[in-house]
């Protein structure tokens, strides 16, 4: 490896809720234990990003800043080269995060009481975006075949056909199930939505984190018709572990939809922007950190295989969803026969294991753990040892 994927900064007392949870259980700097919950990586930032930020700090003042033409072109170049998508700079609107973007999309494109579809279980803020804004959650539960989740297309078609249903928030790749939707699946989803006048908000924040043998397809890249019926939410934040810089790019090819979104943005801020350091870091990342990403993917793949081999050997009753994309493994521990609350307690108190509990992603997630495996391999090995000790 060219880059450092071994050093860990222990983020106690830095405002990281992921690390604060460890402190609540009495752990501190002297314990060689890391959390496996919130979706940021335990890898140090790529040196190319640090250098760009240092250059900015040395040569600039922290005034108001927007996206420059060079920034927008760099983002589009990434879409062309990594995603085979000919996106245009003028389609991009800024957002300080993807959660903010899908909350705003729900407000902008639907009215109170109207239906928004989710493929569940799913990233929990998506439920909130619907429920807390007075919209109706239209649940399209996925079918779990044991090691893979699939869309229930008949149910989707039925629910999309309800004239009250206006929007689908698509999680692509899917968190927490780790699916990278195939082009064929996306075409089916897109056609159902077109037929029934349902707009697609495609959250593609994990789109660069794809495991060998799989290929991500940007929803809008499939056809002009799809591009005109969607907004695509992207960011370099997961890819390069810079979520704290709060810089995302929302692509809206359809000019009417874009105008509506921009008007909604401007209701709360007449000059919507991200921040100067976020722009500089993102530009450096997309320009210079492709190799860093390729190496990160290798570490994630190594960790993935380690867990699969371990579970097959030690706990064959544990079912793991194939990790096709993201760095979030989805493990079904119900086969161990332990109540999910008790599992959580034993993980925390006895094994010192801090995953995201499956139930936060919906009822289907009870007894599951979402394991963030973007960390040095030695921490995965140590966690597996503690699992073995607690549950053998
Ligand atoms: C599917 C998905 N969307 C959005 C986010 C968060 O996005 P942001 O930090 O840009 O609001 C996450 C973070 O885990 C995620 O998994």
């Amino acid at each position: 490896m060219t880059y450092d994927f071994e050093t860990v900064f222990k983020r106690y007392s830095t405002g990281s809720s992921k690390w604060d949870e460890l402190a609540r259980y009495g752990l501190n700097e002297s314990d060689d234990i890391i959390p496996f919950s919130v979706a940021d990586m335990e890898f140090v930032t790529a040196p190319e990003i640090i250098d760009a930020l240092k250059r900015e700090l040395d040569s600039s003042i922290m005034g108001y800043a927007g996206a420059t033409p060079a920034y927008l072109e760099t983002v589009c170049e990434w879409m062309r080269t990594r995603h085979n998508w000919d996106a245009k700079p003028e389609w991009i609107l800024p957002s300080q995060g993807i959660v903010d973007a899908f909350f705003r999309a729900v407000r902008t494109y639907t009215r109170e009481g109207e239906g928004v579809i989710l493929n569940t279980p799913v990233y929990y803020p998506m439920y909130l975006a619907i429920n807390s804004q007075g919209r109706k959650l239209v649940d399209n539960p996925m079918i779990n075949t044991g090691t893979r989740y699939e869309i229930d297309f008949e149910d989707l078609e039925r629910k999309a056909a309800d004239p009250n249903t206006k929007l689908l928030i698509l999680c692509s790749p899917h968190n927490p199930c780790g699916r990278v939707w195939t082009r064929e699946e996306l075409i089916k989803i897109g056609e159902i939505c077109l037929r029934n006048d349902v707009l697609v908000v495609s959250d593609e924040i994990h789109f660069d984190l794809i495991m060998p043998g799989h290929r991500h397809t940007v929803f809008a890249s499939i056809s002009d018709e799809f591009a005109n019926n969607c907004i695509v939410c992207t960011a370099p934040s997961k890819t390069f572990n810079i979520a704290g810089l709060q810089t995302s790019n929302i692509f809206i090819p359809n000019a009417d939809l874009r105008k509506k979104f921009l008007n909604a943005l401007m209701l709360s801020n007449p000059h919507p922007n991200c921040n100067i350091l976020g722009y500089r870091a993102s530009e450096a990342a997309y320009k210079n950190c492709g190799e860093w990403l390729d190496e990160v993917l290798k570490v994630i793949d190594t960790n993935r295989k380690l867990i699969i081999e371990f579970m097959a050997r030690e706990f064959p009753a544990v079912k793991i969803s194939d990790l096709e994309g993201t760095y979030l493994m989805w493990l079904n521990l119900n086969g161990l026969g332990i109540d999910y609350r008790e599992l959580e307690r034993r993980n925390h108190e006895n094994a010192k294991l801090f995953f995201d509990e499956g139930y936060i992603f919906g009822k289907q997630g009870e007894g599951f753990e979402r394991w963030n495996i973007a960390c040095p391999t030695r921490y995965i090995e140590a966690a597996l040892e503690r699992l073995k000790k607690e549950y053998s």
Side-chain angles (χ1 to χ4, degrees):
M1 292 279 173
T2 315
Y3 292 98
D4 174 8
F5 298 112
E6 295 300 326
T7 303
V8 162
F9 290 129
K10 295 185 178 168
R11 286 182 275 157
Y12 290 103
S13 308
T14 59
S16 159
S17 55
K18 185 183 186 185
W19 282 81
D20 285 352
E21 189 177 20
L22 269 61
R24 282 203 298 280
Y25 285 87
L27 295 159
N28 59 43
E29 297 272 348
S30 62
D31 296 292
D32 205 16
I33 281 178
I34 64 166
F36 300 108
S37 52
V38 176
D40 56 27
M41 303 181 187
E42 297 305 331
F43 297 128
V44 292
T45 313
E48 291 83 355
I49 296 177
I50 300 288
D51 288 346
L53 289 173
K54 282 185 179 157
R55 267 198 309 279
E56 186 64 29
L57 293 174
D58 286 343
S59 66
S60 175
I61 55 170
M62 299 297 118
Y64 294 115
T68 61
Y71 168 85
L72 296 172
E73 187 41 51
T74 302
V75 174
C76 289
E77 181 61 14
W78 183 264
M79 302 307 155
R80 273 192 291 276
T81 53
R82 296 291 288 213
H83 294 287
N84 195 24
W85 180 34
D86 190 18
K88 306 282 181 256
E90 60 272 21
W91 295 349
I92 302 176
L93 293 180
S95 177
Q96 291 176 3
I98 301 297
V99 171
D100 188 69
F102 62 64
F103 264 71
R104 196 179 304 280
V106 167
R107 273 200 305 282
T108 306
Y109 301 121
T110 67
R111 287 196 291 254
E112 277 193 33
E114 289 183 333
V116 180
I117 304 175
L118 291 180
N119 312 111
T120 62
V122 76
Y123 180 54
Y124 50 90
M126 291 178 177
Y127 299 102
L128 266 181
I130 300 167
N131 294 331
S132 71
Q133 301 191 104
R135 274 59 177 176
K136 181 168 170 266
L137 171 63
V138 180
D139 192 4
N140 174 223
M142 291 183 293
I143 301 164
N144 183 5
T145 65
T147 56
R148 186 180 157 92
Y149 281 76
E150 286 169 5
I151 303 273
D152 182 342
F153 286 106
E154 272 180 28
D155 183 63
L156 179 62
E157 177 91 55
R158 216 172 22 252
K159 288 178 175 160
D162 179 342
N164 193 52
T165 303
K166 302 292 179 195
L167 200 84
L168 161 71
I169 305 180
L170 179 67
C171 196
S172 174
H174 195 281
N175 169 14
C177 304
R179 278 300 315 278
V180 173
W181 305 116
T182 63
R183 193 180 170 83
E184 290 67 35
E185 286 170 311
L186 291 170
I187 290 174
K188 276 192 182 175
I189 294 169
E191 284 177 348
I192 289 174
C193 288
L194 275 176
R195 260 200 303 282
N196 294 289
D197 233 347
V198 170
L199 180 69
V200 178
V201 173
S202 190
D203 176 346
E204 305 194 16
I205 193 168
H206 295 279
F207 71 157
D208 293 312
L209 298 155
I210 306 299
M211 290 293 103
H214 298 277
R215 190 168 175 78
H216 177 82
T217 304
V218 174
F219 185 81
S221 73
I222 293 174
S223 70
D224 288 346
E225 273 182 305
F226 282 19
N228 269 318
N229 190 43
C230 74
I231 83 169
V232 179
C233 305
T234 75
S237 53
K238 298 284 171 209
T239 312
F240 300 105
N241 206 28
I242 51 174
L245 290 172
Q246 296 185 299
T247 301
S248 314
N249 300 298
I250 312 304
F251 287 81
I252 312 185
N254 177 320
D256 286 342
L257 294 175
R258 192 164 64 242
K259 191 161 167 230
K260 281 190 182 141
F261 194 89
L262 185 60
N263 287 345
L265 262 178
M266 290 175 67
L267 276 181
S268 54
N269 179 357
H271 304 289
N273 264 317
C274 301
N275 72 78
I276 191 166
L277 294 180
Y279 284 126
R280 299 299 176 264
S282 304
E283 196 171 343
Y286 279 150
K287 228 183 213 148
N288 303 319
C289 296
E291 275 178 43
W292 185 89
L293 172 61
D294 293 339
E295 291 196 354
V296 160
L297 291 173
K298 285 188 188 143
V299 181
I300 294 168
D301 194 35
T302 300
N303 293 349
R304 177 185 76 86
K305 288 179 183 145
L306 207 62
I307 294 172
I308 291 172
E309 282 161 19
F310 172 90
M311 291 299 175
R313 197 174 59 243
E314 304 292 339
F315 297 108
V318 172
K319 299 277 170 270
I320 307 179
S321 296
D322 295 336
L323 188 77
E324 301 177 349
T326 82
Y327 47 72
L328 306 163
M329 271 185 109
W330 185 238
L331 293 90
N332 179 353
L333 281 81
N334 284 300
L336 297 181
I338 304 167
D339 174 73
Y340 72 98
R341 294 279 179 190
E342 178 62 2
L343 187 72
E344 179 176 18
R345 189 195 65 73
R346 284 174 67 178
N347 280 344
H348 290 175
E349 293 178 12
N350 302 354
K352 310 293 180 212
L353 288 166
F354 299 86
F355 305 119
D356 263 329
E357 298 303 317
Y359 63 79
I360 69 175
F361 300 93
K363 197 161 171 52
Q364 302 108 299
E366 287 177 4
F368 287 66
E369 302 287 356
R370 193 192 74 171
W371 189 340
N372 175 345
I373 62 168
C375 64
T377 301
R378 67 181 187 282
Y379 286 101
I380 300 285
E381 287 165 344
L384 292 173
E385 278 311 306
R386 297 204 299 281
L387 259 177
K388 186 170 166 181
K389 192 159 164 237
E390 179 60 24
Y391 295 108
S392 288

